[in-house]
mmCIF file of all heavy atoms in Angstrom:
data_model
loop_
_atom_site.group_PDB
_atom_site.id
_atom_site.type_symbol
_atom_site.label_atom_id
_atom_site.label_comp_id
_atom_site.label_asym_id
_atom_site.label_seq_id
_atom_site.Cartn_x
_atom_site.Cartn_y
_atom_site.Cartn_z
ATOM 1 N N VAL D 1 -0.232 -13.447 -10.126
ATOM 2 C CA VAL D 1 -0.770 -12.706 -8.987
ATOM 3 C C VAL D 1 -2.199 -13.171 -8.753
ATOM 4 O O VAL D 1 -2.968 -13.265 -9.706
ATOM 5 C CB VAL D 1 -0.717 -11.190 -9.274
ATOM 6 C CG1 VAL D 1 -1.334 -10.391 -8.150
ATOM 7 C CG2 VAL D 1 0.731 -10.756 -9.501
ATOM 8 N N PRO D 2 -2.633 -13.487 -7.541
ATOM 9 C CA PRO D 2 -1.848 -13.336 -6.319
ATOM 10 C C PRO D 2 -0.803 -14.448 -6.192
ATOM 11 O O PRO D 2 -1.048 -15.592 -6.568
ATOM 12 C CB PRO D 2 -2.867 -13.425 -5.198
ATOM 13 C CG PRO D 2 -3.992 -14.226 -5.766
ATOM 14 C CD PRO D 2 -4.001 -13.934 -7.246
ATOM 15 N N TYR D 3 0.343 -14.086 -5.673
ATOM 16 C CA TYR D 3 1.454 -15.008 -5.493
ATOM 17 C C TYR D 3 1.569 -15.391 -4.023
ATOM 18 O O TYR D 3 1.502 -14.538 -3.143
ATOM 19 C CB TYR D 3 2.765 -14.365 -5.946
ATOM 20 C CG TYR D 3 3.975 -15.208 -5.596
ATOM 21 C CD1 TYR D 3 4.295 -16.324 -6.354
ATOM 22 C CD2 TYR D 3 4.758 -14.908 -4.492
ATOM 23 C CE1 TYR D 3 5.381 -17.116 -6.030
ATOM 24 C CE2 TYR D 3 5.840 -15.690 -4.160
ATOM 25 C CZ TYR D 3 6.155 -16.797 -4.926
ATOM 26 O OH TYR D 3 7.215 -17.583 -4.600
ATOM 27 N N THR D 4 1.741 -16.668 -3.773
ATOM 28 C CA THR D 4 2.044 -17.157 -2.433
ATOM 29 C C THR D 4 3.210 -18.107 -2.569
ATOM 30 O O THR D 4 3.158 -19.030 -3.391
ATOM 31 C CB THR D 4 0.845 -17.916 -1.824
ATOM 32 O OG1 THR D 4 -0.282 -17.038 -1.763
ATOM 33 C CG2 THR D 4 1.164 -18.396 -0.425
ATOM 34 N N GLY D 5 4.249 -17.868 -1.799
ATOM 35 C CA GLY D 5 5.406 -18.746 -1.875
ATOM 36 C C GLY D 5 6.259 -18.626 -0.635
ATOM 37 O O GLY D 5 6.145 -17.660 0.123
ATOM 38 N N PRO D 6 7.129 -19.602 -0.432
ATOM 39 C CA PRO D 6 7.960 -19.622 0.780
ATOM 40 C C PRO D 6 9.176 -18.713 0.683
ATOM 41 O O PRO D 6 9.621 -18.362 -0.405
ATOM 42 C CB PRO D 6 8.413 -21.082 0.857
ATOM 43 C CG PRO D 6 8.493 -21.497 -0.578
ATOM 44 C CD PRO D 6 7.341 -20.785 -1.267
ATOM 45 N N ILE D 7 9.678 -18.340 1.832
ATOM 46 C CA ILE D 7 11.002 -17.743 1.956
ATOM 47 C C ILE D 7 11.845 -18.874 2.520
ATOM 48 O O ILE D 7 11.723 -19.222 3.694
ATOM 49 C CB ILE D 7 11.000 -16.518 2.901
ATOM 50 C CG1 ILE D 7 10.103 -15.429 2.326
ATOM 51 C CG2 ILE D 7 12.424 -16.026 3.135
ATOM 52 C CD1 ILE D 7 9.886 -14.248 3.251
ATOM 53 N N TYR D 8 12.604 -19.522 1.652
ATOM 54 C CA TYR D 8 13.351 -20.719 2.058
ATOM 55 C C TYR D 8 14.317 -20.393 3.187
ATOM 56 O O TYR D 8 15.069 -19.434 3.122
ATOM 57 C CB TYR D 8 14.079 -21.327 0.858
ATOM 58 C CG TYR D 8 13.112 -21.808 -0.197
ATOM 59 C CD1 TYR D 8 12.873 -21.066 -1.331
ATOM 60 C CD2 TYR D 8 12.404 -22.993 -0.010
ATOM 61 C CE1 TYR D 8 11.956 -21.491 -2.288
ATOM 62 C CE2 TYR D 8 11.487 -23.426 -0.954
ATOM 63 C CZ TYR D 8 11.269 -22.672 -2.088
ATOM 64 O OH TYR D 8 10.353 -23.087 -3.021
ATOM 65 N N GLY D 9 14.239 -21.194 4.253
ATOM 66 C CA GLY D 9 15.090 -20.974 5.421
ATOM 67 C C GLY D 9 14.493 -19.977 6.399
ATOM 68 O O GLY D 9 15.047 -19.741 7.462
ATOM 69 N N GLY D 10 13.341 -19.378 6.044
ATOM 70 C CA GLY D 10 12.690 -18.414 6.929
ATOM 71 C C GLY D 10 13.345 -17.037 6.890
ATOM 72 O O GLY D 10 14.425 -16.863 6.361
ATOM 73 N N LEU D 11 12.670 -16.088 7.452
ATOM 74 C CA LEU D 11 13.147 -14.714 7.502
ATOM 75 C C LEU D 11 14.074 -14.541 8.700
ATOM 76 O O LEU D 11 13.844 -15.130 9.756
ATOM 77 C CB LEU D 11 11.938 -13.781 7.629
ATOM 78 C CG LEU D 11 12.055 -12.378 7.084
ATOM 79 C CD1 LEU D 11 12.486 -12.369 5.632
ATOM 80 C CD2 LEU D 11 10.733 -11.649 7.222
ATOM 81 N N LYS D 12 15.110 -13.730 8.529
ATOM 82 C CA LYS D 12 16.084 -13.489 9.607
ATOM 83 C C LYS D 12 16.499 -12.031 9.603
ATOM 84 O O LYS D 12 16.361 -11.339 8.596
ATOM 85 C CB LYS D 12 17.315 -14.369 9.402
ATOM 86 C CG LYS D 12 17.042 -15.859 9.484
ATOM 87 C CD LYS D 12 18.283 -16.666 9.145
ATOM 88 C CE LYS D 12 18.051 -18.144 9.182
ATOM 89 N NZ LYS D 12 17.058 -18.668 8.301
ATOM 90 N N LEU D 13 17.003 -11.577 10.746
ATOM 91 C CA LEU D 13 17.529 -10.213 10.823
ATOM 92 C C LEU D 13 18.591 -10.023 9.747
ATOM 93 O O LEU D 13 19.384 -10.924 9.477
ATOM 94 C CB LEU D 13 18.136 -9.941 12.196
ATOM 95 C CG LEU D 13 17.149 -9.843 13.356
ATOM 96 C CD1 LEU D 13 17.907 -9.615 14.669
ATOM 97 C CD2 LEU D 13 16.150 -8.729 13.134
ATOM 98 N N GLY D 14 18.581 -8.866 9.136
ATOM 99 C CA GLY D 14 19.550 -8.542 8.103
ATOM 100 C C GLY D 14 19.094 -8.898 6.698
ATOM 101 O O GLY D 14 19.686 -8.431 5.726
ATOM 102 N N MET D 15 18.046 -9.712 6.581
ATOM 103 C CA MET D 15 17.536 -10.064 5.259
ATOM 104 C C MET D 15 16.664 -8.935 4.721
ATOM 105 O O MET D 15 16.186 -8.092 5.470
ATOM 106 C CB MET D 15 16.717 -11.357 5.321
ATOM 107 C CG MET D 15 17.540 -12.591 5.588
ATOM 108 S SD MET D 15 16.543 -14.099 5.733
ATOM 109 C CE MET D 15 16.047 -14.369 4.037
ATOM 110 N N SER D 16 16.454 -8.951 3.410
ATOM 111 C CA SER D 16 15.555 -7.977 2.804
ATOM 112 C C SER D 16 14.734 -8.644 1.716
ATOM 113 O O SER D 16 15.111 -9.689 1.184
ATOM 114 C CB SER D 16 16.332 -6.785 2.241
ATOM 115 O OG SER D 16 17.248 -7.199 1.263
ATOM 116 N N LEU D 17 13.611 -8.036 1.432
ATOM 117 C CA LEU D 17 12.698 -8.509 0.400
ATOM 118 C C LEU D 17 12.489 -7.339 -0.551
ATOM 119 O O LEU D 17 12.082 -6.251 -0.123
ATOM 120 C CB LEU D 17 11.369 -8.935 1.040
ATOM 121 C CG LEU D 17 10.249 -9.367 0.116
ATOM 122 C CD1 LEU D 17 10.629 -10.636 -0.627
ATOM 123 C CD2 LEU D 17 8.986 -9.601 0.925
ATOM 124 N N PHE D 18 12.787 -7.544 -1.836
ATOM 125 C CA PHE D 18 12.698 -6.495 -2.839
ATOM 126 C C PHE D 18 11.581 -6.838 -3.807
ATOM 127 O O PHE D 18 11.532 -7.957 -4.331
ATOM 128 C CB PHE D 18 14.033 -6.386 -3.590
ATOM 129 C CG PHE D 18 14.031 -5.389 -4.706
ATOM 130 C CD1 PHE D 18 14.023 -4.031 -4.444
ATOM 131 C CD2 PHE D 18 14.047 -5.810 -6.022
ATOM 132 C CE1 PHE D 18 14.029 -3.103 -5.476
ATOM 133 C CE2 PHE D 18 14.057 -4.899 -7.068
ATOM 134 C CZ PHE D 18 14.047 -3.539 -6.784
ATOM 135 N N ILE D 19 10.688 -5.885 -4.028
ATOM 136 C CA ILE D 19 9.540 -6.099 -4.919
ATOM 137 C C ILE D 19 9.460 -4.927 -5.892
ATOM 138 O O ILE D 19 9.500 -3.765 -5.479
ATOM 139 C CB ILE D 19 8.230 -6.200 -4.112
ATOM 140 C CG1 ILE D 19 8.291 -7.405 -3.179
ATOM 141 C CG2 ILE D 19 7.023 -6.266 -5.043
ATOM 142 C CD1 ILE D 19 7.182 -7.462 -2.162
ATOM 143 N N GLN D 20 9.344 -5.251 -7.180
ATOM 144 C CA GLN D 20 9.087 -4.245 -8.196
ATOM 145 C C GLN D 20 7.690 -4.499 -8.740
ATOM 146 O O GLN D 20 7.306 -5.662 -8.947
ATOM 147 C CB GLN D 20 10.068 -4.370 -9.362
ATOM 148 C CG GLN D 20 11.468 -3.923 -9.039
ATOM 149 C CD GLN D 20 12.364 -4.071 -10.252
ATOM 150 O OE1 GLN D 20 12.626 -5.172 -10.695
ATOM 151 N NE2 GLN D 20 12.819 -2.959 -10.778
ATOM 152 N N GLY D 21 6.951 -3.437 -8.970
ATOM 153 C CA GLY D 21 5.609 -3.610 -9.505
ATOM 154 C C GLY D 21 5.089 -2.332 -10.120
ATOM 155 O O GLY D 21 5.774 -1.304 -10.138
ATOM 156 N N THR D 22 3.872 -2.408 -10.586
ATOM 157 C CA THR D 22 3.174 -1.251 -11.147
ATOM 158 C C THR D 22 1.756 -1.260 -10.608
ATOM 159 O O THR D 22 1.107 -2.315 -10.591
ATOM 160 C CB THR D 22 3.139 -1.321 -12.690
ATOM 161 O OG1 THR D 22 4.476 -1.362 -13.181
ATOM 162 C CG2 THR D 22 2.415 -0.121 -13.283
ATOM 163 N N VAL D 23 1.288 -0.109 -10.168
ATOM 164 C CA VAL D 23 -0.095 0.026 -9.732
ATOM 165 C C VAL D 23 -0.957 0.094 -10.989
ATOM 166 O O VAL D 23 -0.762 0.971 -11.830
ATOM 167 C CB VAL D 23 -0.303 1.302 -8.883
ATOM 168 C CG1 VAL D 23 -1.765 1.454 -8.513
ATOM 169 C CG2 VAL D 23 0.583 1.283 -7.655
ATOM 170 N N LEU D 24 -1.854 -0.856 -11.146
ATOM 171 C CA LEU D 24 -2.717 -0.865 -12.320
ATOM 172 C C LEU D 24 -3.663 0.323 -12.297
ATOM 173 O O LEU D 24 -4.156 0.717 -11.231
ATOM 174 C CB LEU D 24 -3.518 -2.167 -12.377
ATOM 175 C CG LEU D 24 -2.689 -3.451 -12.506
ATOM 176 C CD1 LEU D 24 -3.608 -4.670 -12.465
ATOM 177 C CD2 LEU D 24 -1.873 -3.436 -13.782
ATOM 178 N N ASN D 25 -3.926 0.890 -13.460
ATOM 179 C CA ASN D 25 -4.897 1.980 -13.551
ATOM 180 C C ASN D 25 -6.245 1.493 -13.052
ATOM 181 O O ASN D 25 -6.704 0.418 -13.430
ATOM 182 C CB ASN D 25 -5.025 2.481 -14.995
ATOM 183 C CG ASN D 25 -3.849 3.327 -15.419
ATOM 184 O OD1 ASN D 25 -3.366 4.157 -14.651
ATOM 185 N ND2 ASN D 25 -3.363 3.102 -16.615
ATOM 186 N N GLY D 26 -6.846 2.258 -12.167
ATOM 187 C CA GLY D 26 -8.155 1.910 -11.626
ATOM 188 C C GLY D 26 -8.105 0.951 -10.450
ATOM 189 O O GLY D 26 -9.149 0.560 -9.937
ATOM 190 N N ALA D 27 -6.906 0.554 -10.017
ATOM 191 C CA ALA D 27 -6.807 -0.362 -8.870
ATOM 192 C C ALA D 27 -7.380 0.306 -7.624
ATOM 193 O O ALA D 27 -7.259 1.526 -7.444
ATOM 194 C CB ALA D 27 -5.351 -0.743 -8.626
ATOM 195 N N THR D 28 -8.001 -0.484 -6.764
ATOM 196 C CA THR D 28 -8.507 0.067 -5.508
ATOM 197 C C THR D 28 -7.533 -0.188 -4.363
ATOM 198 O O THR D 28 -7.504 0.557 -3.397
ATOM 199 C CB THR D 28 -9.876 -0.536 -5.145
ATOM 200 O OG1 THR D 28 -9.770 -1.955 -5.092
ATOM 201 C CG2 THR D 28 -10.935 -0.125 -6.168
ATOM 202 N N ARG D 29 -6.717 -1.268 -4.488
ATOM 203 C CA ARG D 29 -5.736 -1.599 -3.454
ATOM 204 C C ARG D 29 -4.878 -2.765 -3.907
ATOM 205 O O ARG D 29 -5.210 -3.454 -4.852
ATOM 206 C CB ARG D 29 -6.409 -1.943 -2.132
ATOM 207 C CG ARG D 29 -7.295 -3.167 -2.193
ATOM 208 C CD ARG D 29 -7.973 -3.526 -0.894
ATOM 209 N NE ARG D 29 -8.847 -2.467 -0.461
ATOM 210 C CZ ARG D 29 -9.317 -2.326 0.760
ATOM 211 N NH1 ARG D 29 -9.012 -3.222 1.678
ATOM 212 N NH2 ARG D 29 -10.101 -1.337 1.098
ATOM 213 N N PHE D 30 -3.786 -2.981 -3.194
ATOM 214 C CA PHE D 30 -3.038 -4.224 -3.297
ATOM 215 C C PHE D 30 -2.436 -4.486 -1.928
ATOM 216 O O PHE D 30 -2.417 -3.605 -1.066
ATOM 217 C CB PHE D 30 -1.976 -4.205 -4.417
ATOM 218 C CG PHE D 30 -0.785 -3.314 -4.175
ATOM 219 C CD1 PHE D 30 0.352 -3.795 -3.507
ATOM 220 C CD2 PHE D 30 -0.754 -2.011 -4.663
ATOM 221 C CE1 PHE D 30 1.457 -2.979 -3.309
ATOM 222 C CE2 PHE D 30 0.354 -1.195 -4.472
ATOM 223 C CZ PHE D 30 1.461 -1.678 -3.795
ATOM 224 N N ALA D 31 -1.984 -5.709 -1.694
ATOM 225 C CA ALA D 31 -1.435 -6.046 -0.382
ATOM 226 C C ALA D 31 -0.254 -6.990 -0.514
ATOM 227 O O ALA D 31 -0.197 -7.811 -1.433
ATOM 228 C CB ALA D 31 -2.507 -6.695 0.497
ATOM 229 N N ILE D 32 0.663 -6.841 0.404
ATOM 230 C CA ILE D 32 1.790 -7.758 0.567
ATOM 231 C C ILE D 32 1.727 -8.234 2.006
ATOM 232 O O ILE D 32 1.683 -7.411 2.937
ATOM 233 C CB ILE D 32 3.124 -7.062 0.267
ATOM 234 C CG1 ILE D 32 3.139 -6.630 -1.209
ATOM 235 C CG2 ILE D 32 4.299 -7.988 0.606
ATOM 236 C CD1 ILE D 32 4.237 -5.687 -1.568
ATOM 237 N N ASN D 33 1.691 -9.555 2.190
ATOM 238 C CA ASN D 33 1.627 -10.132 3.526
ATOM 239 C C ASN D 33 2.848 -10.999 3.776
ATOM 240 O O ASN D 33 3.145 -11.893 2.976
ATOM 241 C CB ASN D 33 0.373 -11.005 3.687
ATOM 242 C CG ASN D 33 -0.898 -10.190 3.666
ATOM 243 O OD1 ASN D 33 -0.960 -9.116 4.242
ATOM 244 N ND2 ASN D 33 -1.909 -10.702 2.994
ATOM 245 N N LEU D 34 3.541 -10.739 4.864
ATOM 246 C CA LEU D 34 4.598 -11.624 5.328
ATOM 247 C C LEU D 34 3.954 -12.454 6.415
ATOM 248 O O LEU D 34 3.573 -11.935 7.464
ATOM 249 C CB LEU D 34 5.781 -10.823 5.866
ATOM 250 C CG LEU D 34 6.462 -9.892 4.861
ATOM 251 C CD1 LEU D 34 7.644 -9.186 5.499
ATOM 252 C CD2 LEU D 34 6.895 -10.646 3.617
ATOM 253 N N GLN D 35 3.792 -13.756 6.152
ATOM 254 C CA GLN D 35 2.991 -14.578 7.048
ATOM 255 C C GLN D 35 3.760 -15.796 7.542
ATOM 256 O O GLN D 35 4.845 -16.092 7.071
ATOM 257 C CB GLN D 35 1.688 -14.973 6.365
ATOM 258 C CG GLN D 35 1.850 -15.626 5.014
ATOM 259 C CD GLN D 35 0.542 -15.723 4.257
ATOM 260 O OE1 GLN D 35 -0.224 -14.756 4.169
ATOM 261 N NE2 GLN D 35 0.275 -16.885 3.693
ATOM 262 N N THR D 36 3.141 -16.488 8.507
ATOM 263 C CA THR D 36 3.815 -17.589 9.193
ATOM 264 C C THR D 36 3.629 -18.939 8.518
ATOM 265 O O THR D 36 4.133 -19.935 9.012
ATOM 266 C CB THR D 36 3.339 -17.692 10.655
ATOM 267 O OG1 THR D 36 1.919 -17.905 10.661
ATOM 268 C CG2 THR D 36 3.675 -16.439 11.432
ATOM 269 N N GLY D 37 2.931 -18.991 7.418
ATOM 270 C CA GLY D 37 2.731 -20.242 6.705
ATOM 271 C C GLY D 37 2.041 -20.004 5.383
ATOM 272 O O GLY D 37 1.698 -18.869 5.042
ATOM 273 N N LEU D 38 1.829 -21.117 4.642
ATOM 274 C CA LEU D 38 1.234 -21.008 3.310
ATOM 275 C C LEU D 38 -0.167 -21.602 3.220
ATOM 276 O O LEU D 38 -0.848 -21.414 2.235
ATOM 277 C CB LEU D 38 2.136 -21.714 2.282
ATOM 278 C CG LEU D 38 3.537 -21.147 2.134
ATOM 279 C CD1 LEU D 38 4.360 -22.010 1.186
ATOM 280 C CD2 LEU D 38 3.483 -19.722 1.628
ATOM 281 N N VAL D 39 -0.580 -22.343 4.232
ATOM 282 C CA VAL D 39 -1.896 -22.997 4.176
ATOM 283 C C VAL D 39 -2.726 -22.606 5.391
ATOM 284 O O VAL D 39 -2.206 -22.127 6.399
ATOM 285 C CB VAL D 39 -1.757 -24.538 4.103
ATOM 286 C CG1 VAL D 39 -1.109 -24.966 2.807
ATOM 287 C CG2 VAL D 39 -0.990 -25.076 5.285
ATOM 288 N N GLY D 40 -4.019 -22.841 5.264
ATOM 289 C CA GLY D 40 -4.913 -22.524 6.377
ATOM 290 C C GLY D 40 -5.023 -21.024 6.589
ATOM 291 O O GLY D 40 -5.028 -20.249 5.638
#
C-alpha cells in the first residue's frame, strides 16, 4: 500500500471490485480511486 494496478480488459457493466481491509488505529483517512490510467 499504496497499490496501483490495472483492471485487465477495463471496467464494464456487471463487473464488481471486492476489497477487504482493516482501518489502522489512528488512521486519519484512506482512499480508493478508480481511474482512467496508471501514469501521469
Side-chain angles (χ1 to χ4, degrees):
V1 177
Y3 172 78
T4 301
I7 297 173
Y8 297 102
L11 208 54
K12 296 175 181 60
L13 290 178
M15 290 177 72
S16 60
L17 176 65
F18 177 72
I19 298 169
Q20 288 180 294
T22 301
V23 177
L24 298 177
N25 285 318
T28 56
R29 63 180 62 198
F30 70 89
I32 296 167
N33 292 319
L34 299 182
Q35 53 192 47
T36 59
L38 298 175
V39 294

